[in-house]
Amino acid sequence: MDKRKIILFSDADDLQGKLLEKEIEKFFSEDEVKVFNCKESRIEYCIGCYTCFYRTPGKCIYSDDMDGILGFMANSDIIFILSRIKFGCYSPNVKKALDRIIPLERPFIRTVNGETHFEPRYPKRKLLLAAGYGGYIEVDDALLFTDLVQRNSINLNADFREPIFFSEADSAEKKLSGMYGDLI
Amino acid sequence: MKKVVIINGSPKKRKSVSEKLCMIIRHELFQRAEIEEIYLYETDIDEALLESIHEAQAVVMLQPLYVDCLPSRVLEFMWASQEYESEHEGKRPELYFVINCGFLEFEHNFTAVKIIEKYCSECGFVFGGGVAAGTGGTILNSHSFKRLEELLENMALYICRETALIVNESEKYNMTGRVYFIDEGIPKYLYKARFAKLWSGLAKKNNLSKAKLKEAYYKE
């Protein structure tokens, strides 16, 4: 079987996060995993200029660490988001990277579930996985995060799977096997 | 007078749709409140800024919807704000918001609204409510604009409701925790056609064909 291309967006900057990052990488050890630590990378804010739509189609105006990642992401099989959660949402570092996905879309509209969305620039259908961590995650945070990931899967042209939530005491390996064991 | 902090969370700053919507609110608040304006994308999120915001009686956040959520800079502010609140006893202002989404339907804003509500509950802020719009900037020139303008005006009047002269008017739209959703409500095919025309027109100015706009940039 060909190695799958997996991009792991991570904001890990502490022991828990770094361990989870390693465990996820290990879990998909048979595949080609590119870890993109959003906290340690140079990422400009998306300024909503839409140059990537009408001047340099598919190419962002910025040449920073997102450039190579978008190239990898465009033809990847799995997008995995590992993020600290607050208010049921990604951390700002992860969101800063996600705000920059516009070049992967086309300036034309399609309808999905009765809503208008951009057409994907790259036809390859992906799988979106996500894991939230950080202290005690309340039920409403988890539900909101799940909702957000599900919505993002449409814009990322990806199938959706329920996210995993890690508390500090959790065994990452067991949870990954339990939730995503069928993927390896 | 009540101190109201207006936070513009658009990276386009003064050229944004958020700014145009902000003008309507600012106009109503003028001389009825002490206004402080902050452009998040050109301001450091430091202790002084957070103190100023947390000491206000009301905060109005205006931002576009980015990837089904609030822009990252707005999240940076919210995270810092929550940390500040956990360490300080602020006045816990009422928080109002305006979100504008570029897609046709206002439903895209649902998740972002819930995130703001959660932020309020974690910071102990009063969730004042807000307006969440679809259709992007074109709503400013549509038949829905009058209604949108009315909602924003009434939100501003509600914020400074203690001002005796406007007590009765402010009762028209009691904002308390209410969220008003609005979009242009045109058929999807019309929106699609308008969108395609806009980008194809811009591409033409850059000597690009419609087919070129659809091409993949990164090859497999």
Side-chain angles (χ1 to χ4, degrees):
Chain A
M1 194 175 82
D2 285 345
K3 281 187 174 187
R4 291 171 301 184
K5 290 175 86 173
I6 301 175
I7 173 79
L8 170 61
F9 285 98
S10 158
D11 62 357
D13 64 348
D14 63 359
L15 187 63
Q16 187 193 8
K18 290 284 180 194
L19 284 173
L20 288 171
E21 200 179 88
K22 285 272 168 248
E23 284 293 340
I24 294 166
E25 212 180 341
K26 201 171 102 186
F27 186 74
F28 291 107
S29 57
E30 300 294 310
D31 299 295
E32 181 189 353
V33 183
K34 192 181 271 273
V35 180
F36 185 64
N37 191 302
C38 307
K39 177 120 188 188
E40 293 162 4
S41 304
R42 193 171 56 90
I43 309 172
E44 298 288 344
Y45 293 107
C46 174
I47 54 168
C49 66
Y50 290 103
T51 298
C52 58
F53 270 12
Y54 71 93
R55 195 167 287 160
T56 53
K59 170 78 175 82
C60 180
I61 193 170
Y62 291 122
S63 291
D64 55 11
D65 292 344
M66 277 306 288
D67 203 7
I69 289 307
L70 285 173
F72 188 86
M73 200 176 164
N75 298 302
S76 64
D77 299 282
I78 298 176
I79 299 167
F80 201 128
I81 300 171
L82 171 66
S83 177
R84 192 174 286 278
I85 298 183
K86 210 179 255 191
F87 323 125
C89 183
Y90 306 117
S91 69
N93 289 310
V94 164
K95 186 62 182 19
K96 201 173 179 184
L98 292 178
D99 282 352
R100 293 278 303 280
I101 63 160
I102 307 295
L104 302 183
E105 298 173 322
R106 290 168 168 171
F108 297 96
I109 298 294
R110 63 179 172 146
T111 306
V112 183
N113 304 331
E115 285 179 356
T116 53
H117 289 269
F118 292 130
E119 284 179 8
R121 188 174 294 276
Y122 300 88
K124 188 172 185 177
R125 187 86 181 155
K126 302 160 188 68
L127 176 65
L128 178 62
L129 306 177
Y133 72 99
Y136 175 72
I137 298 169
E138 293 174 18
V139 174
D140 52 353
D141 277 330
L143 291 173
L144 198 44
F145 187 76
T146 303
D147 187 32
L148 180 60
V149 175
Q150 184 162 25
R151 289 205 61 86
N152 285 167
S153 69
I154 300 170
N155 292 322
L156 288 165
N157 190 31
D159 292 323
F160 164 79
R161 288 282 292 260
E162 291 282 327
I164 306 179
F165 299 97
F166 292 109
S167 72
E168 282 183 32
D170 281 330
S171 155
E173 194 185 346
K174 271 188 190 168
K175 274 211 164 175
L176 282 164
S177 299
M179 292 287 284
Y180 301 148
D182 59 313
L183 298 173
I184 54 168
Chain B
M1 271 202 290
K2 207 176 215 178
K3 181 185 168 187
V4 180
V5 177
I6 299 177
I7 302 174
N8 183 323
S10 170
K12 290 181 184 164
K13 304 165 206 168
R14 289 168 179 81
K15 291 179 180 169
S16 60
V17 174
S18 298
E19 179 65 12
K20 291 187 175 104
L21 301 176
C22 181
M23 281 167 67
I24 300 165
I25 296 171
R26 198 190 297 128
H27 183 260
E28 291 303 320
L29 290 177
F30 183 66
Q31 292 188 337
R32 291 181 174 133
E34 179 197 334
I35 306 168
E36 183 183 335
E37 287 181 73
I38 292 161
Y39 293 85
L40 273 185
Y41 278 80
E42 59 184 37
T43 311
D44 290 334
I45 301 171
D46 56 19
E47 182 102 359
L49 180 89
L50 295 168
E51 186 183 350
S52 179
I53 293 168
H54 284 245
E55 290 301 312
Q57 275 91 41
V59 175
V60 185
M61 286 169 58
L62 299 105
Q63 57 271 302
L65 189 79
Y66 265 31
V67 196
D68 303 298
C69 188
L70 303 160
S72 60
R73 185 68 180 159
V74 176
L75 291 180
E76 279 174 19
F77 158 70
M78 287 162 64
W79 279 52
S81 161
Q82 197 258 338
E83 276 167 29
Y84 178 90
E85 188 59 35
S86 65
E87 293 162 9
H88 301 78
E89 275 291 316
K91 283 184 184 158
R92 306 202 160 163
E94 293 172 5
L95 190 135
Y96 301 86
F97 67 86
V98 179
I99 309 175
N100 66 86
C101 159
F103 291 118
L104 175 61
E105 308 84 7
F106 62 67
E107 284 88 346
H108 289 271
N109 296 306
F110 286 170
T111 311
V113 170
K114 285 188 233 162
I115 288 168
I116 292 178
E117 203 170 358
K118 191 75 178 47
Y119 161 69
C120 285
S121 82
E122 293 209 5
C123 286
F125 290 179
V126 176
F127 180 72
V131 177
T135 333
T138 52
I139 199 166
L140 301 173
N141 304 311
S142 75
H143 66 277
S144 300
F145 180 66
K146 198 168 177 291
R147 169 75 176 143
L148 175 60
E149 192 179 37
E150 198 179 44
L151 289 171
L152 296 174
E153 282 170 358
N154 281 282
M155 184 167 89
L157 290 175
Y158 185 75
I159 291 169
C160 51
R161 58 193 174 280
E162 289 82 5
T163 312
L165 285 172
I166 56 160
V167 162
N168 291 332
E169 275 196 54
S170 68
E171 284 171 359
K172 196 170 159 192
Y173 291 108
N174 183 352
M175 285 301 294
T176 333
R178 290 184 194 171
V179 182
Y180 294 90
F181 292 94
I182 183 167
D183 60 36
E184 202 181 329
I186 56 168
K188 293 187 199 325
Y189 75 86
L190 210 58
Y191 175 76
K192 282 184 190 179
R194 184 201 279 172
F195 210 83
K197 193 179 167 191
L198 166 75
W199 294 109
S200 300
L202 283 167
K204 208 173 171 184
K205 284 183 186 169
N206 287 286
N207 297 319
L208 295 172
S209 63
K210 188 178 170 185
K212 192 78 185 164
L213 294 188
K214 295 189 171 190
E215 270 183 13
Y217 177 80
Y218 300 106
K219 308 297 174 200
E220 201 161 354

